[in-house]
């Protein structure tokens, strides 16, 4: 029997979870389809709002409707991917307070990675598809490699931010609502042109509440490429990931488990 | 024989926030937080040898599950040392996980909406078991646990007993040396419990798996374990043979009788029968089984009274613990066998 866990082993596990989660979603096909359609309709509503805005005002600090379309493409694709493949990110705090991390600690795998991949929000498929369609409409072929790289970095920031927000439960007990509000906050902030913000808000958006690195800076990079900001964005996403991992494992030492009767759904 | 598990002076302290009742208390707690420390496990030590089956019993909140969780690396002890198969569960969690299996009766591992076979396949990936080896092991386990008919049905449709057998298979796929079972028979009927007990015994006798079993069902541990550790308020109050406990403290049973007619008290004309509760229709008595066989007492009750229902129960664990304390006070220098 093996005694170590390889990277290949983690990759195989990731693939197995994708299959298993898809099988679970298919058990509830109707709910899956309804959720997906609802998400797409929600996204379209926002685009209609922005279309009316730009028709009336022309531009916003240099931003045109096409920039908004790219922002939505990037935001939807990265948020959708984060939900599809790391769907447990928004459940970490309740898992901590209800003692549901026991299951993961008992296995010879990286705990945080295992937690994140073990659930999928398949309605993220709707977001991701919508993002891809928007990107196909607005981007030229040569913009695609950069777009995909920036999508990856935004996905990493989304997941890391959720891990940080939900790990608060290790330190403050049941923090599910706070963590959820913080996550909603970063999605909302990311869905506005970053040029709208200045001063302290801008500083926060490039540090602890990094909505600027999720959407604003990537959209600018796609139209005005700049090596400094590209490297900064990539480095920031990796550093943010490392911080979230540190914060999670530091908190894990305080984990108190629990005796709540649970089931794996 | 070499100890496979060494637990030395471990304690686990939990900090619990105290709040006065009501809205006033909630508002007050916003500004002044009071914490209380609770010793869930208080300086306990024991060793377990390879091939042993050890039962952990104690009332709810005694510290049984907390101890198991520290041995498997889920919880960090506040102080003390643990060594399981030469690994430190907290520092070498991943290595240890390849060698031990865990079943938590109240925390199922199986996917509720999917067939058990899907979870087995996932676990094979988690433990990185080569496909051929996995298929062979799965075949053996399915046969031993008699679940051929149910592994392709969604887990939500299985009975508790069937589900627990599948849970055990999931924990045994990687051939663990030590199996931790936390309340594996919780909520089961007598037949299902009996089957699970037999399977645990077989695992130990045929495959040499060391088993640590927690339960608050005395019969579970009495049937399966040769050694018993009784925990109360985070402390070990007994560590010795099950036989010793059976002879000293399990020599009495509780009989609950419901009669069809009003009766002031059960008069059986037997010594060593103590009335525990006297109602109009319901009566509870305690009998010393070393003096009167249970059949004799039941026969007497049925022949003398018009009985609607009768229940024979083991004494509650709290009663045994209190008798142990009593015995310790009475025989301060006595050593456990």
């Amino acid at each position: 029997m093996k005694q170590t866990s390889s990277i290949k082993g983690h990759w195989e596990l990731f693939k197995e979870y994708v299959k298993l989660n898809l099988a679970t979603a298919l058990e509830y096909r109707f709910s899956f389809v309804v959720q997906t359609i609802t998400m797409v309709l929600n996204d379209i509503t926002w685009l209609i709002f922005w279309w009316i805005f730009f028709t009336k005002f022309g531009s916003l600090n240099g931003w045109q409707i096409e920039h908004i379309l790219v922002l939505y493409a990037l935001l939807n694709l990265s948020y959708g991917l984060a939900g599809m493949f790391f769907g447990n990110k928004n459940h970490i705090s309740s898992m901590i307070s209800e003692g549901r991390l026991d299951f993961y600690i008992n296995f010879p795998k990286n705990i945080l990675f295992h937690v994140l991949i073990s659930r999928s929000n398949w309605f993220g498929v709707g977001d991701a598809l919508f993002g891809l369609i928007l990107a196909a409409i607005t981007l030229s072929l040569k913009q695609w490699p950069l777009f995909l790289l920036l999508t990856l970095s935004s996905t990493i920031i989304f997941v890391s931010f959720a891990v940080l927000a939900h790990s608060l439960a290790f330190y403050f007990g049941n923090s599910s609502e706070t963590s959820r509000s913080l996550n909603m906050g970063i999605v909302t902030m990311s869905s506005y042109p970053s040029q709208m913000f200045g001063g302290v808000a801008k500083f926060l958006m490039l540090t602890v509440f990094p909505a600027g690195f999720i959407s604003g800076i990537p959209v600018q990079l796609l139209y005005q490429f700049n090596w400094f900001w590209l490297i900064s964005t990539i480095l920031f996403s990796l550093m943010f990931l490392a911080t979230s991992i540190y914060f999670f494992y530091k908190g894990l030492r305080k984990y108190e488990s629990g005796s709540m009767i649970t089931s794996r759904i | 024989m070499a100890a496979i598990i060494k637990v030395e002076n471990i304690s686990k302290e939990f900090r619990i926030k105290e709040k006065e009742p009501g809205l006033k208390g909630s508002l007050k707690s916003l500004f002044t937080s009071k914490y209380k420390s609770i010793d869930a496990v208080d300086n306990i030590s024991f060793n377990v040898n390879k091939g042993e089956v050890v039962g952990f019993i104690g009332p709810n909140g005694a510290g049984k599950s907390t101890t198991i969780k520290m041995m498997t690396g889920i919880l960090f002890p506040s102080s003390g040392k643990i060594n399981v198969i030469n690994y430190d569960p907290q520092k070498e969690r991943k290595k240890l996980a390849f060698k031990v299996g865990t079943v938590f009766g109240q925390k199922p591992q199986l996917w509720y909406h999917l067939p058990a076979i899907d979870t087995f396949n996932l676990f094979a990936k988690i433990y990185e078991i080569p496909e051929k080896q996995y298929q062979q092991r799965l075949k053996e386990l399915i046969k031993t646990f008699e679940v051929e008919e149910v592994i392709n049905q969604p887990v939500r449709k299985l009975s508790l007993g069937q589900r627990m057998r599948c849970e055990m298979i999931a924990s045994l796929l990687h051939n663990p040396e030590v199996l931790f079972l936390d309340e594996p028979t919780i909520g089961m009927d007598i037949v299902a419990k009996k089957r699970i007990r037999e399977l645990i015994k077989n695992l130990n006798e045929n495959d040499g798996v060391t088993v640590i079993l927690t339960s608050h069902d005395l019969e579970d541990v009495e049937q399966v374990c040769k050694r018993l550790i009784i925990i109360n308020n985070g402390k070990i109050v007994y560590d010795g043979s099950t036989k010793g406990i059976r002879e000293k403290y399990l020599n009495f049973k509780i009989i609950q009788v419901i009669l069809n007619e009003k009766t002031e008290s059960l008069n059986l004309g037997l010594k060593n029968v103590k009335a525990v509760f006297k109602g109009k229709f319901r009566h509870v008595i305690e009998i010393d089984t070393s003096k009167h066989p249970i059949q004799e007492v039941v026969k007497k009750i049925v022949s003398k009274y018009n009985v609607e229902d009768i229940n024979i129960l083991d004494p509650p664990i709290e009663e045994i613990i209190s008798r142990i304390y009593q015995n310790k006070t009475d025989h301060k220098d006595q050593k456990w066998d």
Side-chain angles (χ1 to χ4, degrees):
Chain A
M1 181 58 60
K2 280 188 80 87
Q3 290 195 19
T4 53
S5 269
S6 59
I7 291 176
K8 187 173 171 262
H10 280 84
W11 170 242
E12 290 295 324
L13 183 66
F14 176 74
K15 287 195 291 183
E16 195 63 28
Y17 266 114
V18 171
K19 279 194 265 174
L20 204 60
N21 286 325
L22 191 57
T24 310
L26 291 175
E27 280 276 304
Y28 300 97
R29 287 173 288 272
F30 180 73
S31 157
F32 168 60
V33 172
V34 169
Q35 276 182 328
T36 307
I37 293 172
T38 314
M39 291 309 286
V40 172
L41 286 176
N42 179 48
D43 295 333
I44 290 173
T45 313
W46 273 102
L47 282 181
I48 292 171
F49 161 78
W50 282 112
W51 180 75
I52 295 169
F53 180 91
F54 281 106
T55 311
K56 207 165 168 61
F57 299 104
S59 78
L60 177 73
N61 285 346
W63 277 57
Q64 308 282 336
I65 185 72
E66 63 171 304
H67 297 120
I68 290 289
L69 292 177
V70 174
L71 183 145
Y72 268 73
L74 204 129
L75 190 63
N76 278 285
L77 184 55
S78 53
Y79 189 73
L81 290 174
M84 278 162 66
F85 299 114
F86 305 101
N88 239 351
K89 68 182 169 62
N90 293 334
H91 301 273
I92 297 174
S93 53
S94 57
M95 294 172 83
I96 295 167
S97 53
E98 289 165 15
R100 284 188 283 132
L101 287 185
D102 295 11
F103 173 82
Y104 302 93
I105 300 173
N106 278 323
F107 287 119
K109 286 282 172 282
N110 181 293
I111 300 168
L112 180 57
F113 178 75
H114 194 175
V115 167
L116 288 170
I117 63 169
S118 65
R119 187 196 281 230
S120 288
N121 285 333
W122 284 104
F123 54 83
V125 174
D127 284 327
L129 276 176
F130 189 69
L132 281 173
I133 293 166
L134 280 181
I137 295 168
T138 48
L139 295 175
S140 66
L141 208 57
K142 67 176 188 185
Q143 282 175 303
W144 271 88
L146 183 59
F147 173 75
L148 293 176
L149 179 67
L150 292 165
T151 300
L152 181 68
S153 123
S154 299
T155 308
I156 291 173
I157 297 175
F158 265 133
V159 176
S160 308
F161 187 81
V163 170
L164 274 171
H166 284 271
S167 295
L168 290 173
F170 284 126
Y171 304 88
F172 304 109
N174 191 358
S175 66
S176 301
E177 283 311 314
T178 315
S179 312
R180 215 160 284 149
S181 303
L182 286 169
N183 273 307
M184 287 302 292
I186 201 160
V187 176
T188 309
M189 295 278 272
S190 308
S191 64
Y192 290 100
S194 54
Q195 272 71 1
M196 275 174 62
F197 303 96
V200 177
K202 192 156 196 168
F203 173 76
L204 290 175
M205 284 174 73
L206 295 176
T207 50
V208 289
F209 210 69
F213 281 112
I214 290 176
S215 58
I217 292 171
V219 172
Q220 271 185 313
L221 277 168
L222 281 162
Y223 287 96
Q224 288 172 304
F225 183 76
N226 175 326
W227 277 107
F228 171 77
W229 281 109
L230 177 67
I231 293 168
S232 301
T233 306
I234 304 294
L235 278 181
F236 180 85
S237 67
L238 294 176
M239 273 166 55
F240 207 61
L241 176 66
T243 309
S244 71
I245 294 171
Y246 175 80
F247 199 63
F248 176 85
Y249 280 97
K250 189 95 180 146
L252 193 62
R253 292 185 68 94
K254 293 175 181 283
Y255 177 60
E256 292 188 349
S257 185
S259 54
M260 192 181 205
I261 298 169
T262 58
S263 58
R264 287 180 56 73
I265 297 175
Chain B
M1 199 179 278
I4 200 167
I5 298 174
K6 294 176 201 161
V7 174
E8 283 174 47
N9 307 105
I10 57 158
S11 295
K12 179 70 188 174
E13 186 187 285
F14 288 116
R15 278 182 85 216
I16 295 178
K17 196 174 178 179
E18 277 190 324
K19 185 185 86 65
E20 288 172 30
L23 179 65
K24 198 180 156 197
S26 301
L27 288 170
K28 214 173 157 186
S29 77
L30 282 176
F31 303 101
T32 50
S33 302
K34 268 192 201 165
Y35 287 91
K36 186 173 83 175
S37 289
I38 288 183
D39 293 318
V41 172
D42 188 5
N43 194 27
I44 67 170
S45 303
F46 60 90
N47 283 352
V48 176
N49 290 333
K50 196 171 164 53
E52 265 194 296
V53 185
V54 181
F56 266 71
I57 58 166
N60 286 334
K64 310 178 294 272
S65 299
T66 305
T67 309
I68 282 214
K69 283 174 185 173
M70 287 192 279
M71 287 194 273
T72 52
I74 292 173
L75 293 175
F76 282 72
S78 307
S79 61
K81 267 192 206 167
I82 305 177
N83 187 298
V84 181
I85 324 175
N86 291 325
Y87 293 119
D88 177 329
Q90 281 68 38
K91 289 182 186 154
E92 296 164 293
R93 181 191 60 83
K94 282 192 207 166
K95 284 180 185 166
L96 179 66
F98 279 110
K99 305 263 185 182
V100 301
T102 48
V103 175
F104 290 97
Q106 300 186 51
K107 292 188 178 178
Q109 315 181 74
L110 303 169
W111 248 254
Y112 191 62
H113 296 296
L114 297 177
I117 186 73
D118 284 344
T119 306
F120 299 157
N121 293 339
L122 175 77
F123 280 26
K125 297 278 179 201
I126 292 178
Y127 289 107
E128 299 179 34
I129 310 170
E131 185 59 23
K132 206 174 158 191
Q133 195 181 323
Y134 163 60
Q135 289 303 339
Q136 196 185 334
R137 176 77 176 149
L138 182 64
K139 211 170 140 189
E140 281 166 23
L141 289 168
I142 287 173
K143 200 175 157 205
T144 312
F145 285 76
E146 296 168 356
V147 289
E148 294 92 339
E149 308 293 321
V150 300
I151 55 162
N152 290 309
Q153 292 172 22
V155 170
R156 65 175 182 269
K157 298 202 170 148
L158 306 186
S159 70
L160 260 181
Q162 289 168 333
R163 209 187 72 197
M164 186 47 67
R165 276 183 274 155
C166 290
E167 287 280 347
M168 287 179 71
I169 292 181
S171 297
L172 292 166
L173 287 170
H174 60 296
N175 258 317
E177 286 178 40
V178 179
L179 184 63
F180 292 98
L181 299 164
D182 190 18
E183 304 277 5
T185 59
I186 200 158
M188 283 182 198
D189 60 38
I190 296 167
V191 182
K193 273 186 184 179
K194 196 167 169 258
R195 185 77 192 103
I196 295 292
R197 287 174 195 147
E198 279 167 10
L199 288 164
I200 298 170
K201 264 180 154 174
N202 290 346
L203 267 174
N204 172 256
E205 283 163 14
N206 303 338
D207 301 346
V209 178
T210 307
V211 180
I212 310 289
L213 167 79
T214 78
S215 180
H216 58 257
D217 186 334
L218 262 173
E219 219 178 311
D220 269 354
V221 282
E222 213 196 330
Q223 303 282 324
V224 179
C225 313
K226 284 194 178 126
R227 179 177 162 202
L228 202 60
I229 295 179
I230 303 181
I231 299 190
N232 190 40
N233 291 329
K235 288 190 166 78
I236 292 180
V237 293
Y238 177 89
D239 181 358
S241 72
T242 310
K243 202 175 147 215
I245 278 286
R246 194 184 300 127
E247 283 166 5
K248 288 192 190 99
Y249 303 105
L250 280 177
N251 52 359
F252 67 102
K253 294 253 182 202
I254 308 288
I255 300 185
Q256 182 184 272
V257 190
I258 295 171
L259 303 173
N260 281 322
E261 55 207 22
K262 277 187 189 175
T263 308
E264 289 215 350
S265 65
L266 290 185
N267 188 2
L268 302 174
L270 295 171
K271 280 182 186 174
N272 305 304
V273 173
K274 202 169 90 187
V276 177
F277 177 81
K278 287 181 195 173
K280 283 176 187 164
F281 296 93
R282 186 172 157 259
H283 295 267
V284 182
I285 55 169
E286 183 189 298
I287 58 160
D288 184 338
T289 47
S290 62
K291 303 279 173 11
H292 303 291
I294 198 88
Q295 298 92 326
E296 181 196 331
V297 183
V298 173
K299 242 185 211 172
K300 280 228 163 182
I301 297 171
V302 176
S303 64
K304 243 182 139 176
Y305 298 97
N306 184 0
V307 176
E308 188 186 305
D309 193 15
I310 192 161
N311 259 316
I312 304 165
L313 308 161
D314 273 320
I317 183 71
E318 290 84 355
E319 179 62 29
I320 292 177
I321 290 169
S322 113
R323 287 183 186 216
I324 291 173
Y325 280 133
Q326 184 61 41
N327 195 322
K328 274 187 177 173
T329 325
D330 295 346
H331 308 91
K332 272 188 180 162
D333 301 324
Q334 182 188 337
K335 282 189 179 164
W336 303 112
D337 52 341

